[in-house]
Amino acid sequence: MMKRTHHCAQLTLAELNSSVSLLGWVDSIRDHGGILFIDLRDRKGITQVKFDPQVNAALAAQAATIKPESVIGVDGVIVARPDGTINKTLPTGAIEVDATALTIHNLSDTPPFPLDDIGGDKVNEDLRLTYRYLDLRRPKMRKNLQVRHRAAKSIRDYFDSQEFIEVETPALFKSTPEGAREYLVPSRIHPGEFYALSQSPQQFKQILMVAGVEKYFQIARCFRDEDLRSDRQMEFTQVDVEASFITREDVYRLFEGMIKKVWKDVLDIEIPAPFLRMPFVDAMNRYGVDKPDMRFGMELTDLSATFKESAFKVFQGTVASGGSIKAFNAKGLADLTQGELKALEDIAKSLGAKGLAFIKAEKGEWKSPIVKFFSDAEKAAITEQLAIEEGDMVFFAAAPWEKACAILGRIRLEAAQLLVKRGKMTIRADDWKFLWVIDFPLMSYDEERGGYAATHHPFTSPVPEDVEYLDSDPKRVRGQHYDLVLNGMELGGGSIRIHQPALQKKIFEEVLKIPADVVETRFGYMLKAFTYGAPPHGGIAFGLDRMVALLCGTTSIRDVIAFPKTQKGQDLMAQSPTPVTAKQLKELHIQTVIPEVKL
Amino acid sequence: MMKRTHHCAQLTLAELNSSVSLLGWVDSIRDHGGILFIDLRDRKGITQVKFDPQVNAALAAQAATIKPESVIGVDGVIVARPDGTINKTLPTGAIEVDATALTIHNLSDTPPFPLDDIGGDKVNEDLRLTYRYLDLRRPKMRKNLQVRHRAAKSIRDYFDSQEFIEVETPALFKSTPEGAREYLVPSRIHPGEFYALSQSPQQFKQILMVAGVEKYFQIARCFRDEDLRSDRQMEFTQVDVEASFITREDVYRLFEGMIKKVWKDVLDIEIPAPFLRMPFVDAMNRYGVDKPDMRFGMELTDLSATFKESAFKVFQGTVASGGSIKAFNAKGLADLTQGELKALEDIAKSLGAKGLAFIKAEKGEWKSPIVKFFSDAEKAAITEQLAIEEGDMVFFAAAPWEKACAILGRIRLEAAQLLVKRGKMTIRADDWKFLWVIDFPLMSYDEERGGYAATHHPFTSPVPEDVEYLDSDPKRVRGQHYDLVLNGMELGGGSIRIHQPALQKKIFEEVLKIPADVVETRFGYMLKAFTYGAPPHGGIAFGLDRMVALLCGTTSIRDVIAFPKTQKGQDLMAQSPTPVTAKQLKELHIQTVIPEVKL
């Protein structure tokens, strides 16, 4: 019934004089001296179709009624394009179809925005989302969906080849109000009770290990009611993996294999493995962040020893009180403008710095608000330690260690962008610098709450040789946690878990100080499960959306999700959320409470 | 760190005298004259491990402390089992491991129920669900999870090979209160507004066709707040497919290919194709149901002509008023007990019958409450039409056509079960009788509402030659709908869709009489999308859970879902749903309204 002999990227001179039938969308219509040329597009490509009124006046007249983006079927004969009109950028650029019949399946109104990549990118995103069915026709968006499919397929093929089985876990889970904000789903059968949409299959995958599945994976939809940003959506897709009898080394090897396969399958790129590994402390010391972008240097230097006995009291006092003096040399950035410097200062202040000390090495001298306090020996020392040369810009931070690192870590990224803008540095999206960040502290001290909190989650197993410090010095205990970092982005993370019920209970109750009854309500079933033969196990989870965005070279995950919500959580195309009927609310035993002033 | 040289189904005499390391669960422990034998189990199989106190007393003593289901690691040497102790049913039955070292990773308490297939099957399902991590260790359940993984992988491989791409669509969709009952999710950002959990990606997949994706599939989680049964869950998994420029014939071929591949990959069975096709009217006439179980005959016969002018007024009157007389011969069921007959009558009555007329051909005569009203000619006619012989049992229904068919359709299934019970009929779970049921009416008249309703959904395209009756005689219009039926179960269904905005609007407003403003609110965006170049398209959807259940030979989809909810919608293991905190409700702008008497 629907006759289609070829797709629109297929025909070449090899099919000369063949009769063909094509189906697709009208990409463009051009009139050259009375002859109509239609670029017919399907998901594979474009073929040029010719309607010549000299040959068939009625057919040409019918073709003239069509507007771009209409859906048509064309029968015709393949002819060679005349010399000088061959399009070498198209696979089908040597031929055109001499139309003999035309079926109009669906006429299109004029689209509200241009559907090419460049024009479409300039369009307001809300408009693109409202007409997502048009936005998705753009070549870039079509390619993004293809890349996503290919990446997910590659991941599934990989884990299948490694004898992992995909197990689906429920989206409707129980509420765990202590964690990230969650979506609730009222129960009709149980008045006053709610399900929560699963934020991650973490507990189910550990239970699957207790169930003896041994090798589990899932590409799972997860839900988090957090404020949305370009790299966050209400619902997101997580590649979730867990295995029994596995060590950290096994996880690294397994995931490096997956990354190699995905990059090969999707981009035809060989990623070298094993990946670099870096302890959390080193990452902070050298890059000021736990997800370093390794595509460029500008590492931080610790000057605490240099300024330990300095006459500059701000630095000396910081070191004396246990803090750190950190600095880095933004080579060649001495031409920083006042406005740019002010912006960096503001960023530093937003991270808790009092200001942003610097040295600008310009015209043979150091311009700096602080250098006058330095001794000649100190100047000589930092000149050497930071390799300061004419044209350089050095930034300092003096604060407690983690804060000093974090401030300069952020300034380092900003400085790199300024250097890129000046053409003094190149950071390529396709320079793939993978890195395992390891040896995170198991617990972090939460100043606000006045107690320890799990750095990642309470199921992370301590490094065995640190277990003895759990009572005496919890912050000294490293967790068997690992993050996979790519170009300054955290792709995923995971850990070897606790499988001993006594240790898990101790972490909950004695270290994290969660009341015993709360532990029982929230995690009682897991503790119980661990008393029935729980194997040692561990795993990892990472965001598919973010990985696909990186593969597609886009910074917004909305560009790799077919139907994303806006940053206000709205579906602009289908129009949701919406009010619902009183009958629906009654059935669910709830009523709405609208605040006086709408948020 | 975790040393494992082999899995537990791997070792044979080929590894004699090798040193091995195994990891797994203690399946059983036996003491034979002081020597301990442990069957060590992992997800692949079982290996026997021997601890001989004569060889290593300390090790044997340590082994004696272990209880079944504990997790251990064993080092040892492969030795041949003595003659007479070889277990030919196990791949590893010729050898055993002479243990040299033992690590206890996790001790197990005594499980609350036996973990073998036969013992476990007898256990109350609530107990199995509470301890799902133990239930899933049973060989049958482990196999079910494997089959599910294999089936899903096979489906994905198939559609990928056919150049379909998997596109993820949102779970958080808009409320459409007119359809099946849905789960609502209150919005925090938009007070008083709600998302609904997607019941199916139907609208999104049609939008993807408008977007030019051409070939879409997805294995998607769907949600329906319906009362649960053995073949229904709150959340279920749907294989969802849609393609552009496709005809019904293309869909049949595509899906037959998929079924062939899945059955081959999972069960190594060749399913012959093409499948039988049967119009809805024939399915009702012959089997009394739109999803006939074709593994046995006992087809219905239409006796309306025979009794058209009968002296038996009940039959004659039914025919005169446009109804039908249907009957079938349950061959060999004349030994039906009074109790069984009563049960069948009750079923018939529950379907709207006044009773259940029958003829029991027993001891050379017909026992029947109605046969005394039949003429000799009528008796002769039905003897021939129904091939009545000694020992047969014939059932009758006299009612409007569809009701008469439906009553006997159900009685036919019940009678078959009675014959199976008597050993007079065999119905094999692995007798795969696939069938396309086609030519459904597009609209059904809803007596209650007093208007037409879409038989399947309002997007189904009418059969082109029937479009002309849309206004004059809607019930005469057949839809381009198809159901894939297997052994009395509807595996899936779909249709060629409407892609013309004017026709879709006509169906909504003029045929289904949906008010224009409701159409605009619910479907306005689809109608709009159809004005921007919508290709002809169609697709299908089917339940993965049910298909996997059939592949596993189980009747309950709960057996093929890792963590199902109970029929009351509860997760007995993790304990949900639950009450939530006042803070959570406040953030979501709702409050609960508990009915006075708890349901």
Side-chain angles (χ1 to χ4, degrees), chain A residues 43 137 149 153 157 160 163 168 171-172 181 188 190 195 235 237 532 565 568-569 574 578 589, chain B residues 43 137 148-149 153 157 160 163 168 171-172 174 181 188 190 194-195 237 532 565 568-569 593:
Chain A
R43 66 181 191 140
R137 287 186 198 164
H149 164 69
K153 184 71 171 56
D157 288 348
D160 185 62
E163 299 196 296
E168 293 184 65
L172 292 161
R181 219 185 280 128
R188 175 176 55 87
H190 303 278
Y195 305 94
E235 44 187 314
T237 302
Y532 286 109
K565 303 283 193 296
K568 285 186 178 162
T578 61
H589 320 290
Chain B
R43 67 180 190 140
R137 288 186 199 165
R148 188 180 181 108
H149 164 70
K153 184 71 172 57
D157 289 347
D160 184 63
E163 299 196 296
E168 293 184 63
L172 291 162
K174 76 187 280 190
R181 217 183 284 130
R188 175 175 54 85
H190 303 277
F194 295 79
Y195 305 93
T237 302
Y532 286 109
K565 303 281 193 295
K568 285 185 178 161
V593 185

Side-chain angles (χ1 to χ4, degrees), chain A residues 13 48 50 79-88 93-96:
Chain A
L13 289 172
Q48 180 168 295
K50 186 170 74 178
V79 296
R81 294 199 197 182
D83 282 349
T85 67
I86 290 169
N87 181 344
K88 291 198 170 144
I95 58 96
E96 59 194 15

Side-chain angles (χ1 to χ4, degrees), chain B residues 6-283:
Chain B
H6 297 78
H7 62 69
C8 290
Q10 201 169 3
L11 295 161
T12 64
L13 289 172
E15 284 83 18
L16 211 59
N17 301 322
S18 303
S19 290
V20 301
S21 297
L22 302 178
L23 287 160
W25 285 257
V26 173
D27 200 65
S28 65
I29 310 177
R30 295 178 309 281
D31 184 330
H32 283 302
I35 300 177
L36 282 182
F37 291 91
I38 286 184
D39 274 356
L40 187 66
R41 182 190 74 228
D42 65 15
R43 67 180 190 140
K44 295 291 186 79
I46 280 180
T47 296
Q48 180 168 296
V49 183
K50 186 169 73 177
F51 295 87
D52 186 343
Q54 306 279 20
V55 176
N56 188 332
L59 197 65
Q62 190 193 3
T65 66
I66 305 172
K67 287 206 287 187
E69 298 306 320
S70 297
V71 177
I72 62 171
V74 169
D75 296 336
V77 176
I78 303 302
V79 298
R81 293 198 197 184
D83 282 350
T85 67
I86 289 168
N87 182 342
K88 291 197 171 146
T89 65
L90 275 187
T92 60
I95 58 92
E96 60 195 12
V97 176
D98 235 343
T100 56
L102 169 65
T103 311
I104 300 172
H105 289 292
N106 189 282
L107 281 173
S108 178
D109 289 344
T110 303
F113 55 85
L115 301 189
D116 61 306
D117 279 344
I118 295 163
D121 275 356
K122 290 180 188 151
V123 171
N124 174 291
E125 194 180 11
D126 281 359
L127 191 64
R128 286 175 50 204
L129 291 175
T130 304
Y131 295 88
R132 191 61 160 179
Y133 41 87
L134 296 177
D135 191 35
L136 290 175
R137 288 186 199 165
R138 299 194 300 132
K140 180 193 284 188
M141 298 302 283
R142 272 190 288 155
K143 196 199 107 226
N144 288 359
L145 290 187
Q146 288 276 358
V147 165
R148 188 180 181 108
H149 164 70
R150 186 55 45 219
K153 184 71 172 57
S154 175
I155 290 167
R156 287 197 163 96
D157 289 347
Y158 178 73
F159 284 109
D160 184 63
S161 77
Q162 303 294 309
E163 299 196 296
F164 281 67
I165 67 169
E166 185 160 15
V167 180
E168 293 184 63
T169 57
L172 291 162
F173 187 45
K174 76 187 280 190
S175 172
T176 53
E178 295 84 356
R181 217 183 284 130
E182 60 200 357
Y183 290 102
L184 294 184
V185 181
S187 165
R188 175 175 54 85
I189 303 175
H190 303 277
E193 300 191 352
F194 295 79
Y195 305 93
L197 293 179
S198 173
Q199 301 189 21
S200 125
Q202 180 67 34
Q203 296 182 36
F204 285 115
K205 72 177 175 176
Q206 291 195 243
I207 289 290
L208 285 172
M209 294 303 103
V210 182
V213 167
E214 291 194 42
K215 292 180 166 192
Y216 147 91
F217 84 102
Q218 185 184 191
I219 301 189
R221 193 71 58 83
C222 302
F223 303 85
R224 236 169 259 182
D225 187 9
E226 291 178 304
D227 296 316
L228 308 179
R229 301 186 310 230
S230 68
D231 62 346
R232 275 210 199 138
Q233 280 278 307
M234 302 167 56
E235 45 187 315
F236 58 97
T237 302
Q238 182 164 304
V239 179
D240 199 55
V241 182
E242 196 82 5
S244 296
F245 309 117
I246 197 168
T247 66
R248 282 176 286 178
E249 291 295 332
D250 299 323
V251 175
Y252 302 153
R253 221 169 12 241
L254 179 72
F255 251 64
E256 286 163 1
M258 187 204 82
I259 292 287
K260 281 179 80 71
K261 178 165 167 60
V262 171
W263 259 250
K264 179 71 188 165
D265 287 354
V266 176
L267 299 177
D268 198 21
I269 285 175
E270 291 290 350
I271 298 290
F275 301 159
L276 204 67
R277 297 178 200 173
M278 190 180 291
F280 166 76
V281 169
D282 292 4

Side-chain angles (χ1 to χ4, degrees), chain A residues 10 20 361 416 544:
Chain A
Q10 202 170 1
V20 301
L544 181 67

